[in-house]
Amino acid sequence: MKEREKESIKDQEDRSLSIQYCPTCAQYIFYPRALCPHCWQGVPEWKESSGRGKVYTYTVVRKSYLPEFASRVPYIYALVELAEGIRLPSNIIDCPVEQIRIGMQVELAWVQGDFGFIPVFRRIEV
Amino acid sequence: MTIRGRTAISGMAELKPLIDAGGRSSMELLAEVAALAIEDAGLKKSDIDGLLLTPPAEGNGFMWPAQMAEYLKMSPSYINMVELGGASACAAATRAALGVAAGLCKHCLCLSGGIWDPQVFNDQEGKTAVMSKAEMEYELPYGPMGFNSAYAWIAQRHMYEFGTTPEQMAKIAVDQRQNALANPEALFNEQALSIEDVLNSPLIVDPIHRLEIVRPCSGAAAVIVSSSEIAADMPQLPVFLLGMGEACSHNSIVYSDNITLSPVKDSARRAFAMAGQGPGDMDLLSLYDCYPITVIITIEDAGFCPKGEGGGWVESRDLTYRGPLPLNTHGGQLSFGQPSYAGGMSHLTEAVRQLRGQAGKRQIKNHRLAFVNGNGGVMSTQSSLILGRDRA
Ligand SMILES: [Zn+2]
C-alpha cells in the first residue's frame, strides 16, 4: 500500500522530495514509472532526494497565457538538476529575475500554488 | 537494398498561408491543394493510389485518413497518418518513398495543412491538448509557455555553453525575411527587418523575442511521390529522394540528456550516408524553423559547422537566396507562416521548387542538391532528407 500512496514524488508530510531509483541498474528515474526505463528490468524504489541542485537552464516568462500565471509575470521557469543527476521542471522563488543564472545553487522549498502543494527551489546564498 | 534514388517527387502544390481562412474547413483546403498537386504532376485523380496525411488541425481525428479519403472519394491501396509533429511532412515523404519502392502504390499523395482557429488555440483545452500526462503533471504547475518556454530553455543553455548571442539568433529572422520579400506567397513579405527590429520586439520568454516566434496560420501543401522511372516521363523535372534519415530521443525537452544537442546528429548522418553526400555538397538548406535556435542547432548537428559554432556561422554569412548556401529561401516559417503541419512541408515544397528551377525572383544559382530537415516537438522527432536533381 505504501508504494501506491507514493505514486507522486511529493511527500507532503515531511516536506521531503522522493524520487525513484532502480536497484538493478543503479540509476535514478524521473518521472516515476512502474518499470525502470533504463534497463527494463528493475522495479523502482523510492529514495529521499538531497533536495539540492543547480539551475541547468531557465527562462523568464514575461507573458503567460495560462490564467493562473498571467498575474505572476515575470517569473522564473527553470530546469533544475538535482545532485542525484535527474532534472526537474520547477520555479525558482525568492530570486529577482535579473539575478537568475545557469549553474546557480538551489535547494528545495514547497509552495501552495493553483495546482496544489508543489516542490520549487530557492537560491542558496554562497 | 537501398531506396536511394528509387523514388522522386513528381508533383507538388501549396496554398498561400492566410491568417483567416474565411470560414473554410481544413478538408476544403486539403482538397484544393490535392487537386493542384495532381495538376502539377500531370496526373488524374484515378492515378493516385497512395494517401498519407499529417494529423488534422481541427475537429475529430479518429480514423482521419479514412475521413479524408472519403471526403476525396478515393480508395487508396496505401493509406496512413504520420504523427511526428513538425517532422510529419518530411516523414510522410519518406513513408511515401517506402510504399512506392515496395510496390504498395504507384503515386503517393502526401497531404498536410488545415485551418488555424484562434478560438481553439487560445482556450485552456487547446493549450493542454498537446501535453502528455507527464507534462500535465510535472510541467504545467510551474507555468510553462508551451513551445516558447521549451525552446527558450534550449537557447539560454546554448548561450551559456557556447556564447551564442541574441544578435546571432535575430540574424536568422532578418535574413529569412529578406527571402520572404522575394516570395509573393509569404505571410510576411512587405517589410524588411533589421537585427534591432527583432531585438526591440517584446521579450516573450527570455531570450526569445516576438519576431523570433513562428506565426500559426491557415494553409495546406501537398507532394506526390512516384517511382523514379515513371517520374522521368512526367511533365515536371523529377526531384529525387536520395537520402532519408530519422531520429527521436524524447518527447518533452525535460528528458533530453543534453538539450543543446539534438537527434538531428543521427537523422542527418543517416540521410547523408544513404545519399552518399556530405554537408559540403549541399546547395540549399531548408530547415524547420519554429525559432532561430532550432535552425542554429540543426546547422550544427547536421555537420555544417562544428558543435557550438552555429551562432558565428549564421552571423558571418549571407543566408539569403543571394548567398553561397541559402537558408529557407521561402522565408521559413518565421516569415512564410506556419499553416499547421503544412509549416513543416513548406521546407520540402520550397526545396522542390528550387531544384526544379521554379523559384522565380529568389531562384538560387546552383540547385543540384538540397538538405531538408523536419523537426517535431522540442527538437524531439527529426526527419532529414537529401533531395537531388540527378538520380545518381
Ligand atoms: Zn534499471
Side-chain angles (χ1 to χ4, degrees):
Chain A
M1 277 312 285
K2 184 66 182 160
E3 287 309 307
R4 285 204 65 79
E5 285 161 16
K6 285 233 184 180
E7 269 180 357
S8 163
I9 59 164
K10 301 179 275 276
D11 191 337
Q12 302 199 5
E13 224 162 73
D14 59 7
R15 297 197 172 192
S16 66
L17 183 70
S18 296
I19 51 177
Q20 282 188 328
Y21 177 80
C22 174
T24 304
C25 70
Q27 294 189 77
Y28 284 95
I29 299 160
F30 180 76
Y31 45 85
R33 291 159 170 92
L35 180 69
C36 172
H38 303 297
C39 67
W40 291 11
Q41 307 239 327
V43 176
E45 294 172 349
W46 288 94
K47 281 196 172 191
E48 188 177 328
S49 163
S50 65
R52 292 206 160 215
K54 60 187 182 207
V55 175
Y56 175 73
T57 190
Y58 70 91
T59 184
V60 176
V61 179
R62 298 188 185 266
K63 189 172 161 32
S64 182
Y65 49 60
L66 297 165
E68 297 86 352
F69 290 87
S71 62
R72 291 200 211 160
V73 293
Y75 59 89
I76 301 162
Y77 177 55
L79 189 54
V80 171
E81 187 167 281
L82 291 178
E84 292 84 357
I86 61 169
R87 295 184 196 137
L88 307 178
S90 197
N91 297 128
I92 308 301
I93 60 164
D94 303 336
C95 176
V97 297
E98 301 76 31
Q99 290 177 20
I100 182 74
R101 295 287 181 271
I102 288 175
M104 181 183 278
Q105 304 285 320
V106 292
E107 66 181 1
L108 181 67
W110 288 87
V111 294
Q112 182 65 47
D114 291 295
F115 292 85
F117 197 58
I118 56 171
V120 296
F121 290 84
R122 92 160 35 95
R123 150 188 216 173
I124 301 172
E125 301 295 343
V126 282
Chain B
M1 186 183 63
T2 176
I3 59 165
R4 176 189 193 275
R6 289 185 56 199
T7 61
I9 294 172
S10 59
M12 63 112 174
E14 191 160 48
L15 305 185
K16 182 176 167 61
L18 297 166
I19 294 291
D20 183 352
R24 302 178 71 202
S25 71
S26 291
M27 283 176 150
E28 283 179 61
L29 299 185
L30 293 172
E32 182 185 346
V33 84
L36 291 170
I38 62 167
E39 188 187 337
D40 179 73
L43 295 172
K44 300 185 301 292
K45 180 198 156 188
S46 56
D47 295 321
I48 302 293
D49 54 359
L51 177 65
L52 294 178
L53 294 157
T54 61
E58 49 160 354
N60 177 4
F62 184 67
M63 295 283 285
W64 173 238
Q67 286 188 43
M68 203 58 221
E70 177 187 270
Y71 187 90
L72 294 167
K73 283 195 86 63
M74 294 173 72
S75 51
S77 57
Y78 184 65
I79 178 167
N80 217 330
M81 182 173 91
V82 182
E83 164 58 309
L84 293 176
S88 301
C90 288
T94 292
R95 281 148 187 74
L98 291 173
V100 169
L104 298 175
C105 60
K106 203 166 161 189
H107 298 289
C108 188
L109 173 66
C110 304
L111 267 183
S112 187
I115 61 149
W116 177 66
D117 182 349
Q119 292 309 107
V120 174
F121 271 73
N122 287 339
D123 70 11
Q124 186 69 14
E125 220 171 293
K127 293 299 178 199
T128 53
V130 296
M131 299 182 94
S132 68
K133 182 174 175 288
E135 288 171 288
M136 297 279 276
E137 195 167 351
Y138 298 107
E139 298 178 40
L140 185 60
Y142 300 103
M145 204 178 150
F147 293 107
N148 290 352
S149 52
Y151 280 94
W153 273 358
I154 298 176
Q156 200 77 50
R157 181 83 196 177
H158 203 275
M159 292 166 73
Y160 171 80
E161 287 181 12
F162 305 115
T164 307
T165 67
E167 288 77 11
Q168 290 168 344
M169 291 189 271
K171 167 84 160 34
I172 290 170
V174 170
D175 281 10
Q176 290 191 178
R177 178 60 63 86
Q178 277 298 314
N179 289 336
L181 296 181
N183 182 2
E185 301 296 302
L187 196 57
F188 302 106
N189 61 5
E190 289 177 355
Q191 212 178 340
L193 287 180
S194 67
I195 286 174
E196 293 69 40
D197 290 336
V198 175
L199 298 183
N200 288 335
S201 68
L203 256 182
I204 305 297
V205 281
D206 298 16
I208 298 178
H209 302 82
R210 177 164 287 154
L211 288 174
E212 297 172 304
I213 299 176
V214 75
R215 175 63 198 251
C217 59
S218 303
V223 297
I224 296 169
V225 174
S226 312
S227 78
S228 294
E229 285 75 18
I230 294 174
D233 293 327
M234 289 168 67
Q236 299 290 355
L237 196 72
V239 172
F240 297 100
L241 286 153
L242 301 179
M244 304 160 217
E246 292 182 1
C248 169
S249 63
H250 56 273
N251 178 41
S252 163
I253 192 67
V254 171
Y255 309 103
S256 163
D257 290 340
N258 177 350
I259 68 169
T260 57
L261 184 66
S262 76
V264 171
K265 73 180 194 316
D266 297 318
S267 63
R269 177 174 44 77
R270 289 165 186 151
F272 282 128
M274 184 190 291
Q277 307 283 348
D281 301 315
M282 298 298 112
D283 300 312
L284 172 70
L285 298 180
S286 222
L287 310 181
Y288 196 92
D289 61 317
C290 36
Y291 305 86
I293 190 64
T294 313
V295 175
I296 288 179
I297 288 182
T298 303
I299 286 168
E300 293 174 352
D301 293 347
F304 289 91
C305 68
K307 188 66 201 173
E309 294 179 15
W313 195 89
V314 301
E315 188 172 44
S316 64
R317 285 168 168 256
D318 179 359
L319 305 173
T320 72
Y321 60 91
R322 304 177 196 96
L325 181 54
L327 165 75
N328 291 340
T329 49
H330 61 312
Q333 293 182 102
L334 290 173
S335 279
F336 177 78
Q338 183 184 45
S340 184
Y341 285 75
M345 196 172 273
S346 72
H347 304 92
L348 184 54
T349 52
E350 177 68 3
V352 172
R353 243 178 245 121
Q354 289 285 6
L355 294 195
R356 283 180 179 177
Q358 296 175 341
K361 199 180 155 193
R362 63 184 189 281
Q363 179 62 48
I364 59 175
K365 276 203 290 287
N366 303 316
H367 51 105
R368 203 172 62 83
L369 287 163
F371 176 73
V372 184
N373 196 72
N375 159 65
V378 187
M379 305 308 293
S380 315
T381 49
Q382 302 297 333
S383 176
S384 304
L385 300 173
I386 314 295
L387 304 183
R389 216 172 39 180
D390 305 316
R391 189 176 172 183

